[in-house]
Amino acid sequence: MFPEHRPRRLRVTPAMRRLVSETTVRPRQLILPMFVAESADSPRPISSMPGVVQHTRDSLREAAVEAVEAGVGGLMIFGVPGTHDATGSGAVDEQGILNVALRDLRAELGDDTVLMADTCLDEFTDHGHCGVLDAQGRVDNDATLQRYAEMALAQAEAGAHLLGPSGMMDGQVGVIRRALDDADFADIGIFAYSAKYASAFYGPFREAVDSQLKGDRKTYQQDPGNAREALREIELDVAEGADMVMVKPALAYLDVVRAAAETSPVPVGAYNISGEYAMVEAAAAKGWLDRERTVLEVLTSIRRAGADMILTYWAAEAARWLAD
């Protein structure tokens, strides 16, 4: 008796495994999220995200150039203002840290990369929510949309190629699209955070952006148990004019990534978020995991699920590994 089929024949050498590999991760498919802090006079380490920092404007430019030279496909920029207020006014101020940083990077890099901006108010508000609040302290969806339109125009004028509305407000993509088109920014794309879940994995990110949040965002971010709802959100965003859509987080939602990839008519991204990053870094620091192998396996799993691109804090480092 012997096996009639021997799949192991296709695993016998590295060259053979490379030849028949079904899923690849290339540097161009990786997007690096970056933080720039208004009050920083030197890069500030983020304790819960080893290796990630809040940049100064100068260090942001330097790190962005290095990432682009490594081959990453794009940069997603988040601003950390020195002050916060109820309406997130720093988000629409042309001298606000995010808009200034976008102008810096567009002047430095031109069209050599895809420059993306987080189009959301949570980093800028003194209550930490993604929108403005009504008299009862609830997030006012429609009043927030007007702020998003203003923020979108400020980011487009600052040089962003893609805007990333991440607040999960109903109608946000359509309002931003109309505002851009009416202001002659028809070439600026929208990378919609279409399926964004109320996840426990965001904790380190809140340190990274100095979040002022009290409470939670369950009234506007998705319930982790819902998958069909994610597909409805994606369908609505595409109908409103989204050029790309995103699932966030990635690892705990690979089934949603797969479903999105199978149904979306536009490219699908997935955000390998802060908590996912922190878990691997913590285990690797303890010697419990081989760091490089684990990182590449994580990224491969997200690509295998169907993501066309991955936002990941490992983007620049992984790009260098993959280029070797």
Side-chain angles (χ1 to χ4, degrees), residues 10-320:
L10 301 184
R11 305 173 197 149
V12 292
T13 66
M16 182 68 78
R17 293 192 294 274
R18 186 169 60 248
L19 178 68
V20 300
S21 177
E22 299 175 23
T23 304
T24 59
V25 182
R26 305 308 309 150
R28 66 175 178 80
Q29 297 159 337
L30 304 178
I31 298 165
L32 178 64
M34 306 180 80
F35 306 99
V36 57
E38 186 172 30
S39 60
D41 53 16
S42 62
R44 293 195 295 231
I46 299 166
S47 64
S48 55
M49 300 175 68
V52 182
V53 302
Q54 291 179 339
H55 283 286
T56 67
R57 288 171 61 184
D58 288 339
S59 69
L60 179 74
R61 281 194 297 265
E62 293 170 5
V65 168
E66 291 176 1
V68 172
E69 289 176 346
V72 302
L75 309 171
M76 177 66 80
I77 311 302
F78 297 86
V80 185
T83 59
H84 305 79
D85 61 33
T87 61
S89 59
V92 301
D93 183 353
E94 66 176 16
Q95 295 305 314
I97 184 59
L98 179 53
N99 297 322
V100 169
L102 290 169
R103 285 197 293 274
D104 288 344
L105 294 180
R106 188 61 186 268
E108 184 75 37
L109 296 166
D111 295 331
D112 290 344
T113 191
V114 180
L115 183 59
M116 309 177 191
D118 180 58
T119 311
C120 193
L121 293 175
D122 60 317
E123 298 101 298
F124 298 92
T125 56
D126 57 11
H127 46 74
H129 279 289
C130 298
V132 296
L133 305 183
D134 64 17
Q136 287 73 47
R138 302 168 300 190
V139 175
D140 187 327
N141 188 96
D142 294 0
T144 298
L145 296 182
Q146 179 57 40
R147 298 296 283 170
Y148 285 178
E150 295 168 6
M151 192 176 185
L153 293 179
Q155 293 174 345
E157 290 167 355
H161 295 96
L162 282 177
L163 306 187
S166 60
M168 290 297 288
M169 297 296 119
D170 294 340
Q172 63 184 13
V173 172
V175 165
I176 289 172
R177 183 72 272 157
R178 286 194 294 275
L180 292 172
D181 290 351
D182 289 347
D184 294 328
F185 286 118
D187 289 339
I188 305 298
I190 298 176
F191 190 1
Y193 289 60
S194 299
K196 183 178 180 181
Y197 286 85
S199 172
F201 288 95
Y202 296 138
F205 179 88
R206 291 178 183 164
E207 178 192 354
V209 297
D210 188 25
S211 173
Q212 308 298 300
L213 181 66
K214 304 294 189 296
D216 59 53
R217 298 177 176 140
K218 293 180 180 179
T219 62
Y220 47 102
Q221 293 178 353
Q222 286 185 245
D223 186 310
N226 292 357
R228 288 193 300 271
E229 182 183 38
L231 299 183
R232 183 184 182 209
E233 291 279 9
I234 289 169
E235 181 180 6
L236 290 170
D237 280 357
V238 171
E240 291 176 22
D243 301 285
M244 298 152 61
V245 296
M246 187 193 305
V247 176
K248 181 182 182 182
L251 287 182
Y253 299 88
L254 292 178
D255 60 322
V256 180
V257 176
R258 167 53 63 188
E262 290 175 345
T263 59
S264 172
V266 300
V268 175
Y271 200 145
N272 176 212
I273 67 168
S274 61
E276 298 166 347
Y277 174 92
M279 289 191 303
V280 172
E281 291 293 336
K286 288 284 190 180
W288 297 339
L289 295 174
D290 179 309
R291 182 173 178 272
E292 181 175 335
R293 284 188 61 195
T294 303
V295 169
L296 293 178
E297 187 172 339
V298 164
L299 299 180
T300 299
S301 75
I302 300 169
R303 283 278 297 128
R304 190 181 64 246
D308 298 294
M309 64 214 73
I310 305 168
L311 291 90
T312 176
Y313 301 98
W314 291 303
E317 189 174 15
R320 288 188 282 269

